[in-house]
Amino acid sequence: MDGAPYLRKVDLRMYKGYRELREALDALFTNSFSAAAEGGGDHHQHAIAYEDKDGDLMLAGDVPWE
């Protein structure tokens, strides 16, 4: 599902920076996909992206956390 959005809202006030956010999302997706990948040994990768106020798709980390 390359490029498929999951459309979930995240409260960024819960995290101190991109590192904590990435670790939380890694844990979420690792747990979600672990059962599916158990037999095949597939490695899932993802990128954290968001839509800015102009409607552009941005990668998290392109702008400072603050």
Side-chain angles (χ1 to χ4, degrees):
M1 294 181 27
D2 188 25
Y6 285 91
L7 304 175
R8 300 283 186 210
K9 291 184 179 184
V10 176
D11 185 358
L12 296 178
R13 296 174 291 187
M14 295 180 62
Y15 306 99
K16 295 179 184 174
Y18 287 117
R19 173 179 247 161
E20 280 189 19
L21 174 62
R22 186 188 72 237
E23 289 171 355
L25 292 173
D26 281 345
L28 173 70
F29 284 101
T30 300
N31 292 337
S32 296
F33 291 122
S34 62
E38 210 170 273
D42 293 335
H43 180 69
H44 298 278
Q45 294 182 352
H46 57 272
I48 303 169
Y50 64 95
E51 187 174 320
D52 70 2
K53 63 183 178 185
D54 298 323
D56 296 324
L57 187 63
M58 305 289 290
L59 289 175
D62 285 350
V63 294
W65 180 258
E66 294 77 27

